[in-house]
Amino acid sequence: MATIPPQESPMESMKTRRRRREIGDKDRPERGQEETGETSWTVGSQVTLPYLMAGIGMVLAGFELDIIQHWPVFKAMSEIFILAPALVGLKGNLEMTLASRLSTAANTGKLDSAADCWLLVTSNLAVIQLQATVVGFIAAVVAITLGSISGGNIELSRAILLCASSTSTAFIASLILNITYLAPALCVLLIMVTPVWLLIARRNSSSREVLQSGWQPVLVAMLISSCGGLILDKMITDPRFQGMAVFTPVINGVGGNLVAIQASRISTYLHQSSIPGELPQGMKDLCPTVCQIFLRSGPNSNSARVLLFLVVPGHLLFLFTIHVARAGHASITHMFTIFYLIASLVQVFLLLCGAELLVRLAWKLRLDPDNFSIPYLTAFGDLLGIGFLAICFYAKLMTEG
């Protein structure tokens, strides 16, 4: 009697077939690296312009946060500062994981057919819309809880407004709540449409996999970012730390963007070079050393060096923009610039090291790194960025008075 082979997940079956097709090349362990032919100059030329454009966007976001922190609603509801990093990080996580999944799909031939492309894109868009609505509501609940623990009780009307604002912001980034008494109805309405996104998302196998296993990373990342928001809430309301608001989106966004690029590149390389649960030649070490990450030859090390190199010139440009625009309430002195650049370098260095470790670990555990690694890395980037920024202001106070 013929035996029925065990069922494989979509990612594993695709990788198994690819590995079997490439069995004739198994004597070339660095096949993926040889085929890419990417140099540091190639990586830098591709990354620099999007990196700078995104950085300018973060600077503008910092300008906006610096202005609206003085609005009455922000003074009356400091929980918004706890919510801000979690909500911004949530949107970034969902969009970057989507970009990473599509990048891997494009490099593995899953977008070659127009019909497959349309189905994959629409299903994945429905997934992130569903996750944004649900996790946005949960983020508001976490912010309310942390705010009540640190600052006492919170009124029911404020809690409802915070939940509605968070859910609607996650659902439609540009939505502004002008009528407070419509907040409960709006919150209920947005939650009621989630079954629609669920039905659309289940049409594609890869998006069904995200529905089943993609919640834990964004939820844990939201909790980590909320801890950073708690630090921001304490610092931004302290007169000694005036001006911190304008730098927060910049240092958080730069770190998150750079590590997301690296994590996506490593994940795509693994999809092309190996099968889930098996690390390819040249990446056998589950916990690589710093020299292996930054100094060896190969596309992943090239990109790590380029991304780390971009930190200082990029932040200098962003600091100069803030200085010229005279944004914020803190003067950008030479000492503060030195502290800030050191903090930014340490932040990105730790994140790039974490990307190598986390992506390899996820692959070894047969988890898709496109879904699992980026939320954790960007959330830790937010926490490190806010923490290091607070240390910079402390050091500025100690050295300059």
Side-chain angles (χ1 to χ4, degrees):
M1 180 182 296
T3 59
I4 300 176
Q7 295 294 320
E8 294 178 305
S9 68
M11 184 178 70
E12 290 187 27
S13 60
M14 181 187 69
K15 287 298 130 190
T16 302
R17 291 194 298 268
R18 178 177 292 274
R19 187 64 169 175
R20 287 170 181 168
R21 288 197 304 267
E22 295 176 352
I23 193 68
D25 297 321
K26 64 181 181 180
D27 58 332
R28 294 195 295 168
E30 300 297 330
R31 178 180 180 274
Q33 294 181 8
E34 291 176 3
E35 284 190 352
T36 58
E38 285 188 324
T39 64
S40 297
W41 174 256
T42 304
V43 176
S45 62
Q46 295 174 353
V47 171
T48 301
L49 182 59
Y51 164 66
L52 293 178
M53 292 180 64
I56 296 299
M58 298 166 208
V59 171
L60 296 177
F63 292 170
E64 184 179 4
L65 181 59
D66 183 62
I67 294 172
I68 64 177
Q69 67 173 318
H70 303 293
W71 287 8
V73 65
F74 282 82
K75 293 183 178 181
M77 298 176 60
S78 63
E79 295 84 7
I80 297 179
F81 291 117
I82 302 176
L83 180 62
L87 203 57
V88 173
L90 168 66
K91 291 298 295 177
N93 286 337
L94 296 180
E95 291 160 2
M96 286 189 285
T97 53
L98 173 62
S100 186
R101 288 197 297 269
L102 294 179
S103 174
T104 296
N107 281 276
T108 53
K110 296 176 69 175
L111 297 182
D112 293 345
S113 166
D116 291 342
C117 179
W118 174 254
L119 180 60
L120 182 66
V121 170
T122 54
S123 300
N124 277 275
L125 287 175
V127 168
I128 66 171
Q129 201 69 39
L130 174 64
Q131 290 181 320
T133 305
V134 175
V135 181
F137 179 80
I138 298 175
V141 174
V142 171
I144 294 168
T145 304
L146 293 176
S148 61
I149 293 174
S150 63
N153 296 328
I154 183 171
E155 299 177 2
L156 179 60
S157 59
R158 291 170 56 183
I160 294 175
L161 179 60
L162 199 63
C163 288
S165 302
S166 175
T167 306
S168 60
T169 302
F171 187 85
I172 305 174
S174 60
L175 182 63
I176 301 175
L177 291 177
N178 292 319
I179 306 177
T180 303
Y181 60 80
L182 289 181
L186 180 61
C187 186
V188 172
L189 176 62
L190 293 177
I191 293 176
M192 286 178 61
V193 300
T194 55
V196 177
W197 307 123
L198 180 61
L199 292 175
I200 298 175
R202 291 180 60 84
R203 296 169 57 201
N204 180 261
S205 58
S206 65
S207 58
R208 283 199 300 269
E209 183 180 347
V210 179
L211 281 176
Q212 296 172 359
S213 59
W215 291 95
Q216 176 187 336
V218 294
L219 287 172
V220 175
M222 179 268 297
L223 293 174
I224 296 172
S225 296
S226 296
C227 295
L230 191 60
I231 299 173
L232 178 63
D233 179 40
K234 296 298 181 183
M235 295 297 176
I236 208 169
T237 54
D238 190 332
R240 297 177 301 170
F241 298 96
Q242 286 189 351
M244 185 173 175
V246 74
F247 300 103
T248 302
V250 181
I251 192 170
N252 288 358
V254 167
N257 286 343
L258 293 180
V259 75
I261 293 172
Q262 181 69 355
S264 179
R265 289 178 59 89
I266 301 173
S267 177
T268 300
Y269 176 76
L270 288 173
H271 278 86
Q272 292 177 318
S273 306
S274 184
I275 60 175
E278 178 183 331
L279 292 172
Q281 292 293 331
M283 296 183 66
K284 289 295 185 181
D285 294 330
L286 189 60
C287 186
T289 64
V290 174
C291 292
Q292 289 175 320
I293 295 173
F294 292 99
L295 299 181
R296 70 178 184 184
S297 60
N300 295 332
S301 295
N302 279 340
S303 59
R305 290 192 295 269
V306 171
L307 296 175
L308 190 63
F309 172 79
L310 289 175
V311 173
V312 171
H315 273 296
L316 285 175
L317 174 62
F318 305 146
L319 289 176
F320 177 75
T321 305
I322 295 172
H323 174 71
V324 170
R326 300 185 181 275
H329 305 279
S331 58
I332 303 178
T333 62
H334 293 297
M335 289 303 300
F336 176 79
T337 301
I338 293 173
F339 293 140
Y340 181 85
L341 292 178
I342 292 174
S344 302
L345 272 173
V346 174
Q347 176 206 29
V348 175
F349 174 81
L350 293 176
L351 290 175
L352 292 176
C353 292
E356 282 280 353
L357 174 61
L358 194 56
V359 172
R360 294 185 189 204
L361 179 62
W363 190 259
K364 193 70 176 178
L365 296 175
R366 300 178 183 273
L367 303 173
D368 192 343
D370 286 327
N371 299 326
F372 278 83
S373 60
I374 291 177
Y376 291 117
L377 292 168
T378 55
F380 277 113
D382 292 343
L383 184 59
L384 289 174
I386 294 175
F388 286 162
L389 191 58
I391 294 174
C392 288
F393 273 84
Y394 267 120
K396 182 176 182 294
L397 287 174
M398 296 295 294
T399 57
E400 299 177 2

